Each structure stands twice: as C-alpha cells, then as structure tokens.
Amino acid sequence: MALILHSTNNNKNASKALIAAEYTGVKVELTKDFQMGVSNKTPEFLAMNPIGKVPVLETPDGPVFESNAIARYVTKTKLDNPLYGSSLIEYAQIEQWNDFSATEVDVNIARWLYPRLGYGVYIPPAEEAAVDALKRALGALNTHLASNTYLVGHSVTLADIIMVCNLSIGFRMIMTKSFTKEFPHVERYFWTVVNQPNFCKILGEVKQAESIPAVQSKKPAQPEKAKAKEEPKKEVKKEEPSPVEEEAAPKPKAKNPLDLLPPSKMILDDWKRLYSNTKSNFREVAVKGFWDMYDPEGYSLWFCDYKYNNENTVSFVTLNKVGGFLQRMDLVRKYAFGKMLIVGSEAPFKVQGLWLFRGREIPKFVMDEVYDMELYEWKEVDINDEAQKERVSQMIEDHEPFEGQALLDAKCFK
C-alpha cells in the first residue's frame, strides 16, 4: 500500500512530509476532499489518532501521527538519505534543530498569531512574552546562520524542511518585514530555502505579511430560534479548524477607513524616504522637507507622554517597553510615522513621543487594538504655535539636549 497522508493541502505541518518525499523520491498520496472538522472526526480517523489532530500518515505497518514524526518516517524510508546527514554528529545536530524549531520557533509563532485570529483568549502581556521569546529564538538562529547557509552541513536536510515549514506561517501571516529585518541571516536563509524547487512545488509562492492581523474575537453562539416543522434540514456546518491542526485560511481584508479619505498632497512614503536617506544637514534638508510636505488637512500631529514615568527606573526595561509599543503599532505602519524619545541620563527616565497619523484624529482601530495607547497622554500639536512646532522639529531630528536633558535613546517608527 502507498503512504497516504490525511490532511488538507494547505497545512504547513503536512508540507514537511510532502517536501521530504520530494527529496527522497518516496510516493506520498494526499487524501482527496479532506475536510477539517469533518474528515478528522470520523471513527476511521480517530482510530488512527484518538485526539483527531492532523496530519496522520497511513502506512503498511500502521498509522503515524505528529508532523515531525511523519517527516522522519518518510525520510527514513530511503536508506542513506542525505536529509539525515552523513555522520552521527550531523544526525544529532539535525534532531537538535528539529527540537529547537518545535519548542522555540513554532510554539511562539502560534502563541503570537492564533489569539489574534480568535483561537484562544487574547492577553496582551502573554503576546508580549511570546514575541520576546520568538525574538530570542530568531536571534539565536540568526547567529548560527551568519556563518552557515543551511542549518547542518552544506545542503538541505530534514532540519531545514521542518524549520522553514514552521517559519512559513509566521512569514505569511504575522512576521512583517519590519519584524524580520532584525534577523537578516534568517531572512536570507528563509527566502533561499523556500524558493528551492522542491519547496515551491509544495508550498507554492510565499508572500510576506504586510501587516500584523488585528485582534479577532469569537462571537458567542446565538440561541436558536424556534424552527418551523416545514423547515428543511440544513447542511452540517464544518467546525473551524484548530490552529494546531491547520493554518487559518486568509480572510478578505476589510477596506480601511483611512483609505477612503480624500487624497492628500503629502505622500507618507516620500517623507519616510527623505527621513531615511538624509545623512547630513538634517535640519535644513529633512526637517525643512517635512514642513514643506506636511498637509494639515490630510494628516495630524500628536505628542504623547508616558503616564507612569516614575516607574521607568531600569534603562533596558524602559527601552523594551518602548520597543514593544512600536512592535504593536505595526498595524498602522502604512498610515503613520513616529518618534519615541527616552529622555534622561539617569532614572527615572521620561518617555515622550511624536506621531504623525493619516486623518484628522488618532485612528480608531489603533486606539482599539494597541493597549499601550492608554498608557500615554495624547495632545494634538498646534502647528500655529511656534514653540510646539519647534518641539516637533527637535523630536524629528533627535535634538540633544532635548528640553535640557540628555537622550538615553531615540526610536523611529517608519
């Protein structure tokens, strides 16, 4: 009997075995018309995996579940397979990275992504912990890849297959360019491997997420209305797939209200390019350019001041706090520019910011989705007040001293 993989064709966990099969030349057939919430609830499926998780591999000797175990089985069906290295130490290192991929990368992408999609309770501190843990893992991976093209040896191994499949859902759905640019060697590695022919055949074209998904919440079930006797039977509704079973299908994006505003003479990307590319005479070039571009009808400027500066007693904690805030602001990157200053040479440090938003007010979806917003006092800039206008200019250029104090750091959101 052929090896039969029970799964949908868009499941990144099933892709591990299918890509391994492409490299090994092993024939693995994907079941047709597999329906999450239906096919995996049948007695036949539950006999193979009692908890109904997907994928499951049906073999002549019995079923195998858990995606990494399935990928190992497919790889091992061919003796002397290069996917498992050429020595005992390479075998151990491949297994090392497989465990790392599962416990440090995959699990933290899931903890960040799935609560935002409504699969579980969204708790901001838990999300921040997941993002920090993911950054720590990617930092370690980035260091290793600084001097290695692949995880083990000089060609693709099972470790690369499992790692890239786990990373793929992050790149597709939540890990935006602004997030991954901190890990350039991981970026290079991912795009190198994911574009290998055997990967492309299974994963198709992978496009990086442009924004972090807004937090979704599942609505409570509504009580059913009394049914008339004549009412025809309704089709059984498919259960929504659990995030650990299958990737959530991308949902059509609703039109952002800011896209419906009248056109503005200020092109935000032009300003961001000017800011990024100005290396000298910053006040005369970039700051002057900002005021020449600024459109008070299409945009608004806001000062923000952290409400609890007396708590900012440890420098790295304060810097991480601001970094986390900027990370959560990623959902408004298309419509905003920001500067965050951490002011003071000693504790307690003051956190003060300047934000440019599309529209005449702070976008509602930002106020709703970014919990940090309420930790700041927000005040609209009066550009007719020369003192406020000068304060804006100084914040844009990281002027030091700022209001008589040294800058511990300045962070830009662009």
Side-chain angles (χ1 to χ4, degrees), residues 93-130:
Q93 289 171 342
I94 288 167
E95 290 297 348
Q96 158 196 291
W97 285 112
N98 289 343
D99 288 349
F100 179 91
S101 179
T103 59
E104 301 294 339
V105 176
D106 193 36
V107 71
N108 287 309
I109 290 174
R111 287 172 179 166
W112 181 17
L113 173 62
Y114 294 126
R116 283 187 163 267
L117 299 179
Y119 299 110
V121 180
Y122 175 75
I123 304 172
E127 177 182 77
E128 186 168 353

Side-chain angles (χ1 to χ4, degrees), residues 4-7 13-14 16-17 34 40 44-59 61-74 244-245:
I4 300 174
L5 190 63
H6 295 263
S7 174
N13 286 327
K16 299 172 186 178
F34 189 93
N40 59 315
E44 294 78 12
F45 189 94
L46 295 175
M48 294 187 292
N49 185 351
I51 60 174
K53 285 178 64 176
V54 173
V56 169
L57 183 70
E58 192 176 353
T59 82
D61 300 314
V64 180
F65 56 82
E66 294 298 336
S67 62
N68 287 1
I70 294 170
R72 290 185 181 101
Y73 180 93
V74 171
V244 296
E245 294 172 337

Side-chain angles (χ1 to χ4, degrees), residues 325-392:
F325 173 43
L326 295 181
Q327 177 64 41
R328 287 180 283 279
M329 289 291 281
D330 199 73
L331 78 169
V332 77
R333 190 170 299 276
K334 180 180 174 183
Y335 310 99
F337 170 87
K339 290 299 297 283
M340 296 296 293
L341 306 184
I342 299 87
V343 182
S345 56
E346 58 184 29
F349 304 100
K350 291 192 294 185
V351 177
Q352 300 173 309
L354 167 73
W355 286 85
L356 171 72
F357 290 115
R358 181 75 165 99
R360 292 297 312 131
E361 58 187 17
I362 298 174
K364 184 177 182 302
F365 69 91
V366 180
M367 299 299 293
D368 290 343
E369 302 294 346
V370 183
Y371 75 88
D372 309 68
M373 296 294 286
E374 64 182 23
L375 303 179
Y376 292 83
E377 295 285 357
W378 293 87
K379 177 183 176 183
E380 187 171 8
V381 176
D382 179 1
I383 61 171
N384 296 314
D385 183 324
E386 287 301 321
Q388 291 190 40
K389 191 172 179 180
E390 173 59 22
R391 188 170 191 255
V392 170

Side-chain angles (χ1 to χ4, degrees), residues 8 28 60 65 119 145 151 155 157 223 272 290 293 295 303 342 370 374 380 398:
T8 57
V28 176
F65 56 82
Y119 299 110
L145 292 170
L151 291 178
S155 61
T157 66
K272 291 180 179 180
F290 173 80
M293 293 180 185
D295 170 22
F303 292 128
I342 299 87
V370 183
E374 64 182 23
E380 187 171 8
D398 305 337

Side-chain angles (χ1 to χ4, degrees), residues 267-278:
I267 308 301
L268 189 58
D269 284 343
D270 288 350
W271 156 241
K272 291 180 179 180
R273 275 192 293 272
L274 177 64
Y275 175 91
S276 299
N277 295 333
T278 303

